[in-house]
Amino acid sequence: MSKRAYNFNAGPAAIPLAVLERAQQEFVDFQGSGMSIMEMSHRGAIYEGVHNETEQLLKKLLNVPAGYKVLFLQGGASTQFAMIPMNLLREGQVASYVMTGSWADKAIKEAKLIGETHIAASSEADKFMRIPALDEIEIPAHAAYLHVTSNETIEGTQFASYPDTGNVPLIGDMSSDILCRPVDVSKFGMIYAGAQKNLGPSGVTVVIAREELIAESPKTIPTMLRYDTHFKNNSLYNTPPSFSIYMVNQTLKWLEEQGGLAAVERNNREKANLIYNTIDNSGGFYIGCAQESSRSIMNLTFRLQSEELEKKFIKESEAVGFVGLKGHRSVGGLRASAYNAVPQETCQALATFMADFQQKNG
């Protein structure tokens, strides 16, 4: 390998090089077993040790309080969009959502198939280029839960803080920003995240939930879609995505080595500022999409003066090793996804390229 790509893919996304190298070393013979971890039984002691250690590592990094359980599920966040109302929305209640963009919209559409929904706040009038203020959020008294999408990858917006929901469980889809900063887990009834952005490879979805929320599910739900199935079986009811969970294990250890989430957040903000400062100091050559107070430190979205210039930017950036800078097909533009594993040098290289591109085309 002569050179690593400047990887700004939105997901599946960059994985720390150190994690990839460790996995490479252990790939054929894990812990002297004569097998890859992908080959061994999920009922065996070696795999179960990795499985349980991964839960403990995640709880330690996020400072998860007592009374919460970590589940390792499959089907991505998209399956959680349906599982949440199927398990938690009971007769006489309403599922309440903050409408912040593309992924919140997908979650709401799934909930509507299950029962009554309610929009607690929305930034649609601002084309989802901001996160609603906390005082805009109105939660019905009979709400089963309030759901927020903590970071919208397509629009490039992120909650700076979370609402206090009292006795109504707060549920957070943190697929694209989990572990990018410290979070007060005690404010949430449930947090869930697809792994393929900040946790490791695709294939496993992490759920962190208060035990009382998932201990008993309605008996009418198919077995694999019941939280209590996985809670009572330590996520080992069926064969888990063992290699993906192993990679999450290695990624969590790498995050510990970086100094924990406070250090990770500092690094992420420094990386994001390299690019946002380039946008803001470009005299309008680059145009940031999200309102400044709602800007994501994970997905940085921006535009140029014309689509033709954006196409040229993509073509020239790809020629020198940049990957994933094209905006989502639904909105166009440009997007740099600077997840935890994206090195600061990669963000610096992008800032330099952007300055050079402006000089040549401004």
Side-chain angles (χ1 to χ4, degrees), residues 35-53:
M35 297 179 287
S36 170
I37 195 166
M38 291 192 295
E39 300 177 281
M40 59 182 59
S41 171
H42 63 291
R43 306 293 182 195
I46 294 177
Y47 173 73
E48 283 205 52
V50 172
H51 188 97
N52 293 332
E53 181 186 50

Side-chain angles (χ1 to χ4, degrees), residues 101-150:
S102 303
W103 290 106
D105 183 52
K106 289 178 184 291
I108 293 165
K109 285 177 178 175
E110 291 297 298
K112 285 180 177 179
L113 300 175
I114 310 301
E116 184 182 354
T117 62
H118 166 264
I119 304 301
S122 174
S123 55
E124 186 173 9
D126 296 294
K127 299 181 178 179
F128 301 120
M129 289 299 109
R130 70 176 183 92
I131 295 292
L134 298 187
D135 61 9
E136 295 177 51
I137 300 172
E138 298 180 356
I139 309 171
H142 63 308
Y145 56 81
L146 176 71
H147 180 285
V148 298
T149 305
S150 64

Side-chain angles (χ1 to χ4, degrees), residues 268-282:
N268 283 331
R269 293 197 181 279
E270 288 173 5
K271 292 187 305 182
N273 286 338
L274 285 169
I275 299 166
Y276 282 134
N277 288 342
T278 302
I279 294 168
D280 295 341
N281 296 328
S282 70

Side-chain angles (χ1 to χ4, degrees), residues 234-295:
N234 193 32
S235 304
L236 293 167
Y237 176 80
N238 69 323
T239 307
S242 53
F243 187 73
S244 293
I245 293 170
Y246 158 77
M247 289 294 287
V248 170
N249 179 287
Q250 292 298 318
T251 301
L252 295 174
K253 289 177 179 176
W254 177 81
L255 289 168
E256 277 194 329
E257 292 163 4
Q258 307 315 299
L261 297 190
V264 168
E265 180 182 15
R266 285 194 298 271
N267 188 48
N268 283 331
R269 293 197 181 279
E270 288 173 5
K271 292 187 305 182
N273 286 338
L274 285 169
I275 299 166
Y276 282 134
N277 288 342
T278 302
I279 294 168
D280 295 341
N281 296 328
S282 70
F285 183 80
Y286 296 106
I287 305 161
C289 296
Q291 292 185 17
E292 192 167 348
S293 62
S294 297
R295 280 175 167 176

Side-chain angles (χ1 to χ4, degrees), residues 45-330:
I46 294 177
Y47 173 73
E48 283 205 52
V50 172
H51 188 97
N52 293 332
E53 181 186 50
T54 307
E55 176 177 5
Q56 294 309 312
L57 285 168
L58 186 57
K59 284 183 171 181
K60 181 181 176 183
L61 269 169
L62 278 171
N63 195 27
V64 176
Y68 284 76
K69 178 65 177 172
V70 175
L71 305 178
F72 300 115
L73 307 181
Q74 299 178 65
S78 295
T79 297
Q80 294 305 304
F81 296 162
M83 279 184 71
I84 289 164
M86 288 173 75
N87 282 266
L88 304 182
L89 180 55
R90 306 298 166 89
E91 188 175 348
Q93 294 182 313
V94 62
S96 194
Y97 288 78
V98 180
M99 179 60 170
T100 48
S102 303
W103 290 106
D105 183 52
K106 289 178 184 291
I108 293 165
K109 285 177 178 175
E110 291 297 298
K112 285 180 177 179
L113 300 175
I114 310 301
E116 184 182 354
T117 62
H118 166 264
I119 304 301
S122 174
S123 55
E124 186 173 9
D126 296 294
K127 299 181 178 179
F128 301 120
M129 289 299 109
R130 70 176 183 92
I131 295 292
L134 298 187
D135 61 9
E136 295 177 51
I137 300 172
E138 298 180 356
I139 309 171
H142 63 308
Y145 56 81
L146 176 71
H147 180 285
V148 298
T149 305
S150 64
N151 185 83
E152 288 281 1
T153 59
I154 293 175
E155 289 79 12
T157 59
Q158 184 178 30
F159 275 83
S161 58
Y162 298 103
D164 182 356
T165 57
N167 293 325
V168 176
L170 177 62
I171 297 179
D173 175 2
M174 294 191 182
S175 292
S176 53
D177 69 345
I178 192 169
L179 299 174
C180 79
R181 59 187 177 180
V183 170
D184 182 359
V185 176
S186 69
K187 295 190 74 163
F188 291 83
M190 180 185 295
I191 291 167
Y192 65 98
Q196 66 274 11
K197 302 176 188 289
N198 262 350
L199 279 166
S202 59
V204 62
T205 306
V206 168
V207 172
I208 306 167
R210 283 200 190 112
E211 293 179 359
E212 65 263 25
L213 277 182
I214 59 173
E216 295 293 337
S217 300
K219 302 296 187 286
T220 54
I221 303 174
T223 303
M224 282 298 293
L225 297 176
R226 292 170 53 164
Y227 285 123
D228 64 356
T229 297
H230 306 287
F231 172 65
K232 292 171 183 176
N233 290 279
N234 193 32
S235 304
L236 293 167
Y237 176 80
N238 69 323
T239 307
S242 53
F243 187 73
S244 293
I245 293 170
Y246 158 77
M247 289 294 287
V248 170
N249 179 287
Q250 292 298 318
T251 301
L252 295 174
K253 289 177 179 176
W254 177 81
L255 289 168
E256 277 194 329
E257 292 163 4
Q258 307 315 299
L261 297 190
V264 168
E265 180 182 15
R266 285 194 298 271
N267 188 48
N268 283 331
R269 293 197 181 279
E270 288 173 5
K271 292 187 305 182
N273 286 338
L274 285 169
I275 299 166
Y276 282 134
N277 288 342
T278 302
I279 294 168
D280 295 341
N281 296 328
S282 70
F285 183 80
Y286 296 106
I287 305 161
C289 296
Q291 292 185 17
E292 192 167 348
S293 62
S294 297
R295 280 175 167 176
S296 170
I297 60 172
M298 293 284 95
N299 307 99
L300 293 68
T301 53
F302 57 101
R303 304 290 311 233
L304 288 169
Q305 300 296 327
S306 67
E307 289 188 13
E308 289 72 24
L309 200 55
E310 289 172 353
K311 289 176 181 177
K312 185 177 182 182
F313 182 97
I314 292 296
K315 184 177 180 180
E316 293 188 9
S317 66
E318 288 177 346
V320 293
F322 290 92
V323 177
L325 291 173
K326 190 175 182 179
H328 192 272
R329 61 186 179 277
S330 64

